[in-house]
Amino acid sequence: QDASLVEANSFSPSLPTSPSSMINQYKFEEEPELRDLFITVDDPESHITAIETFITYRVVTKTSRSEFDSSEYEVRRRYQDFLWLKGKLEEAHPTLIIPPLPEKFIMKGMVERFNDEFIETRRKALHKFLNRIADHPTLTFNEDFKIFLTAQAWELSSHKKQGPGLLSRMGQTVRAVASSVRGGVKNRPEMFTEMNDYMETFSQKINVLDKIAHRIYKEEREYFNEMKEYGPIHTLWSASEEDIADSLKGVASCIDKCCKATEKRMAGLSENLLPVIHEYVLYSEILMGVLKRRDLIQGELDSKVDALASKRAEKDVITEEIGKLEDKVECANNALKADWERWKQNMQYDMRAAFTNVAENNLHYYEE
């Protein structure tokens, strides 16, 4: 079976016949035994102060890397700390694909912010966020990531107060220049236009999948709640119908088994399908942002080239700046190209694994 990546606008029906072979045929760049950084997010804890109520999570790191002073660290972090880390990674690596964080509020107010289900959903997402970074060939060596994993609360707080770095100031310059550019990027390479088109299609399809998956889960829950009532009704009915009591009890028992099987199928959807699809909804927004940042860097170069052509400034100075900007654009392009292929491979693996899992759960459900 060809393991080439499926285009977003043509989800291929030609899947391997064996679900297990489908999952096993995809290999990541780093096998688990070669990893040297392991991170766990667990033990959520509520904190109530006079000003606010918030949750912290324990982050345990185990590593064999020489740049770490110890082989194991344990710190507590709140959601704002994760948000800070994501911002620092985006600032340092504007054209790399930073993994998404769960939204501050989810499901539009349908879930209580501090109930157990919300906290557990967020914990899993934060755990995945850190491990995605740990597995990334570049992000894993980011200094702010190391500080996030190792610094005590007061040390992290002190580090956060430091002013914006050189990259941040450069980013502001890029935005200032690009804001003066109108009508899009003139010299955008074709492959980045194709990426943009791919992501627009992908975004539409993944958002539709997200809505459908939630609708299926909602209908399944309604069906489950109705079935929970029918079992006891047949049991009560059997007490007043002596001639068919055994049959009615049998029906009640059967409904109970269906109820348990449906509950298991719902758990499979909520644990293995909904989070994966929603993560890639967030990824689609992140990718569009990354492509825009690449265009901003390109826009800065284009504006300098235009300035040179119109002789609005000293030629020698502009020529030197153009050389530096060409290097910057080249670095940005290469970073995004490498990350793009890696992201597509991971995306296809995650999607196939999620849908295979749903298919296998459905098989078990109907067998039961």
Side-chain angles (χ1 to χ4, degrees):
Q1 181 71 29
D2 180 17
S4 62
L5 299 173
V6 178
E7 291 300 318
N9 58 358
S10 60
F11 287 104
S12 172
S14 58
L15 300 180
T17 52
S18 165
S20 59
S21 69
M22 180 197 300
I23 290 176
N24 291 336
Q25 72 174 337
Y26 295 101
K27 297 294 181 185
F28 287 108
E29 296 164 14
E30 296 180 65
E31 294 295 333
E33 60 267 20
L34 299 178
R35 288 180 59 191
D36 55 6
L37 185 64
F38 297 87
I39 305 168
T40 306
V41 178
D42 61 11
D43 190 27
E45 192 177 284
S46 296
H47 300 263
I48 301 172
T49 69
I51 303 171
E52 60 180 341
T53 300
F54 59 93
I55 307 289
T56 62
Y57 300 84
R58 181 174 66 173
V59 178
V60 177
T61 304
K62 295 182 180 180
T63 182
S64 57
R65 290 185 186 173
S66 58
E67 64 264 29
F68 286 83
D69 297 329
S70 175
S71 61
E72 187 168 343
Y73 295 87
E74 182 179 316
V75 296
R76 294 203 74 84
R77 297 286 181 254
R78 56 186 295 184
Y79 180 78
Q80 287 180 359
D81 299 327
F82 287 86
L83 212 53
W84 168 84
L85 174 61
K86 183 172 182 287
K88 295 298 282 185
L89 292 173
E90 287 175 349
E91 175 190 309
H93 309 282
T95 56
L96 288 182
I97 302 166
I98 313 301
L101 274 174
E103 300 98 326
K104 192 166 180 64
F105 301 101
I106 59 171
M107 295 177 73
K108 298 177 183 174
M110 289 170 62
V111 177
E112 285 285 333
R113 187 173 165 210
F114 292 119
N115 73 8
D116 292 343
E117 184 181 351
F118 173 88
I119 291 169
E120 177 58 15
T121 299
R122 173 169 283 185
R123 182 200 68 75
K124 286 178 180 176
L126 296 176
H127 176 88
K128 181 177 275 191
F129 169 73
L130 292 183
N131 279 280
R132 292 260 197 217
I133 296 169
D135 289 340
H136 193 283
T138 303
L139 299 177
T140 188
F141 297 109
N142 177 275
E143 186 62 24
D144 287 305
F145 181 48
K146 179 186 171 187
I147 289 168
F148 177 91
L149 297 176
T150 61
Q152 292 305 309
W154 65 270
E155 293 174 306
L156 183 64
S157 179
S158 173
H159 183 73
K160 282 183 181 181
K161 290 174 184 173
Q162 294 176 10
L166 173 65
L167 283 159
S168 178
R169 293 197 297 274
M170 283 169 63
Q172 289 161 9
T173 304
V174 169
R175 283 192 291 275
V177 171
S179 65
S180 65
V181 177
R182 294 289 178 265
V185 180
K186 292 183 295 183
N187 300 313
R188 179 202 278 161
E190 180 64 25
M191 75 167 296
F192 296 110
T193 300
E194 290 173 1
M195 279 187 197
N196 203 70
D197 294 343
Y198 182 104
M199 284 315 303
E200 284 180 1
T201 305
F202 179 84
S203 180
Q204 291 168 3
K205 288 187 178 287
I206 201 69
N207 274 282
V208 169
L209 281 174
D210 191 47
K211 287 176 185 172
I212 291 171
H214 277 94
R215 191 175 73 212
I216 289 170
Y217 182 80
K218 182 171 176 262
E219 290 173 357
E220 198 81 357
R221 178 171 284 284
E222 288 169 356
Y223 173 60
F224 170 74
N225 289 335
E226 286 181 7
M227 270 204 304
K228 275 206 302 188
E229 297 176 9
Y230 292 142
I233 286 171
H234 282 78
T235 303
L236 289 170
W237 187 9
S238 69
S240 58
E241 295 281 359
E242 194 174 322
D243 292 345
I244 54 171
D246 290 344
S247 297
L248 290 170
K249 284 177 183 174
V251 171
S253 174
C254 198
I255 291 172
D256 185 54
K257 284 179 184 173
C258 288
C259 214
K260 286 174 180 171
T262 301
E263 190 171 26
K264 195 188 297 182
R265 183 157 70 156
M266 281 166 50
L269 288 171
S270 67
E271 290 172 16
N272 302 313
L273 181 67
L274 299 183
V276 172
I277 291 179
H278 192 67
E279 183 184 22
Y280 280 96
V281 168
L282 299 178
Y283 257 129
S284 69
E285 296 168 6
I286 286 168
L287 259 297
M288 295 304 282
V290 168
L291 287 163
K292 281 178 186 172
R293 288 198 290 274
R294 195 222 69 86
D295 284 353
L296 292 181
I297 297 170
Q298 178 89 52
E300 186 179 13
L301 172 61
D302 291 347
S303 69
K304 290 291 180 187
V305 171
D306 289 345
L308 181 63
S310 61
K311 300 180 181 177
R312 288 200 305 258
E314 187 67 35
K315 280 193 173 184
D316 292 342
V317 175
I318 291 285
T319 304
E320 185 182 345
E321 288 180 356
I322 285 174
K324 290 178 181 177
L325 284 168
E326 284 174 342
D327 291 342
K328 188 176 175 183
V329 169
E330 186 68 19
C331 289
N333 289 349
N334 289 337
L336 178 51
K337 279 191 280 190
D339 233 17
W340 173 254
E341 293 304 326
R342 186 177 185 278
W343 176 80
K344 284 210 296 184
Q345 182 182 351
N346 285 346
M347 178 270 289
Q348 187 177 27
Y349 177 93
D350 289 344
M351 286 293 168
R352 289 196 175 200
F355 283 112
T356 300
N357 184 279
V358 170
E360 288 174 345
N361 282 345
N362 284 347
L363 285 170
H364 292 317
Y365 171 79
Y366 287 111
E367 284 169 356
E368 286 180 42

